[in-house]
């Protein structure tokens, strides 16, 4: 019954979800969100072939649904999507009890697997972070050309300095809401024919110290060892797409 109610509520608020998330959160209430993400990214890479200083960043949120802070989700929903807020308050307002071998464990963080509203609730927490991160990215020399999220997978591209500021903002603003970048999955993409990035330090600002020892680096198809890659995100030289853009 719980999933049935959540599914009905999710269907009833799709227009409100699209209006709130805008064009930048593509994973909820957008049936063609995957196509938009793929073609927009490919188009950007092709348009900036050979251009100096342009960088794309592929990001992923670590342990996304299990680690998100419930109060961040619920607070954002109260303000911006009140139609589903009472139901989600009922579902997540108190901790659940897990009983394992007679031991009771409070489940007080994250969202339940299979909940039809879990995606909207998680994206609500992301909206506590993303708009301010986007503002900080454009506050300085250089601007972002585009940025979006498809559920817990993100993309940002533009001037290298703006992309670096954006990543720093996500690292700074996200953890209080349970939103933490997966540093081992972070990848920088350089358009085909563009010169390599000489200094990666700006893209690692604000990175947790423990992430440095697990980083790896790619340059085109060549992977260098962990010792040489310490504290550096992966870097990949993009190849021009053979798909004709329309």
């Amino acid at each position: 019954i719980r999933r049935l109610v959540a599914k009905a509520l999710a269907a009833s608020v799709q227009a409100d979800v699209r209006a709130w998330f805008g064009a930048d959160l593509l994973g909820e209430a957008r049936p063609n969100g995957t196509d938009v993400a793929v073609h927009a990214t490919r188009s950007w890479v092709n348009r900036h072939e050979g251009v100096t200083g342009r960088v794309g960043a592929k990001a992923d949120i670590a342990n996304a649904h299990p680690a998100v802070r419930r109060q961040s989700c619920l607070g954002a929903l109260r303000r911006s999507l009140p139609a589903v807020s009472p139901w989600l308050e009922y579902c997540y307002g108190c901790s659940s009890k897990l009983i394992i071998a007679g031991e009771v464990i409070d489940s007080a963080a994250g969202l339940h697997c299979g909940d039809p509203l879990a995606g909207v609730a998680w994206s609500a927490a992301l909206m506590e972070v993303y708009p301010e991160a986007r503002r900080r990215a454009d506050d300085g020399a250089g601007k972002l050309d585009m940025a979006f999220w498809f559920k817990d997978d993100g993309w940002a591209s533009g001037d290298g300095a703006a992309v670096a500021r954006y990543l720093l903002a996500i690292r700074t603003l996200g953890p209080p809401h349970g939103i933490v970048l997966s540093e081992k999955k972070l990848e920088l993409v350089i358009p085909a024919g563009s010169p390599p990035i000489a200094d990666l330090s700006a893209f690692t600002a604000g990175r947790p110290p423990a992430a440095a020892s697990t980083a790896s680096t790619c340059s085109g198809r060549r992977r260098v060892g962990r010792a040489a890659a310490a504290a550096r995100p992966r870097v990949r030289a993009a190849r021009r797409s053979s798909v004709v853009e329309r």
Side-chain angles (χ1 to χ4, degrees):
I1 292 177
R2 176 174 167 175
R3 291 189 180 184
L4 182 62
V5 171
K7 189 172 183 179
L9 282 172
S12 71
V13 296
Q14 288 203 6
D16 294 329
V17 169
R18 284 193 293 270
W20 180 21
F21 293 166
D24 294 344
L25 270 63
L26 302 174
E28 303 300 329
R30 291 190 179 275
N32 62 340
T34 306
D35 293 337
V36 172
V38 170
H39 289 293
T41 303
R42 180 179 293 155
S43 177
W44 181 89
V45 169
N46 288 346
R47 288 198 314 271
H48 293 88
E49 181 177 352
V51 177
T52 300
R54 283 293 192 268
V55 178
K58 292 170 60 179
D60 180 83
I61 301 300
N63 205 25
H65 279 215
V68 71
R69 185 172 177 267
R70 290 181 179 178
Q71 291 308 313
S72 297
C73 303
L74 298 177
L77 289 166
R78 285 187 213 109
R79 295 190 300 272
S80 301
L81 202 63
V84 300
S85 176
W87 175 253
L88 288 172
E89 293 271 3
Y90 167 75
C91 294
Y92 296 106
C94 299
S95 61
S96 306
K97 304 294 183 182
L98 303 179
I99 303 176
I100 302 176
E103 181 182 359
V104 179
I105 302 173
D106 281 338
S107 174
L111 303 166
H112 297 158
C113 179
D115 184 347
L117 282 170
V120 172
W122 186 86
S123 297
L126 182 61
M127 287 296 287
E128 299 287 270
V129 177
Y130 171 74
E132 175 61 15
R134 184 68 189 264
R135 187 195 68 77
R136 293 188 186 187
D138 289 335
D139 185 15
K143 305 294 180 184
L144 288 182
D145 296 328
M146 58 186 286
F148 61 79
W149 287 86
F150 184 86
K151 299 186 182 295
D152 60 342
D153 296 309
W155 170 266
S157 54
D159 184 85
V163 173
R165 289 193 298 268
Y166 178 76
L167 294 175
L168 173 59
I170 296 293
R171 291 186 181 111
T172 303
L173 300 170
H177 302 283
I179 294 175
V180 179
L181 283 181
S182 175
E183 301 292 349
K184 66 181 180 181
K185 293 184 179 179
L186 177 62
E187 185 176 47
L188 302 181
V189 179
I190 311 302
S194 300
I197 302 172
D199 182 8
L200 294 176
S201 60
F203 298 97
T204 63
R207 196 173 191 174
S213 62
T214 60
S216 61
T217 302
C218 292
S219 180
R221 293 291 179 181
R222 182 172 59 85
R223 185 181 297 272
V224 301
R226 287 178 181 272
R232 297 164 63 189
R234 295 194 300 169
V235 180
R236 179 168 61 84
R239 294 178 296 178
R240 181 170 179 82
S241 170
S242 61
V243 176
V244 177
E245 296 175 25
R246 293 179 291 177

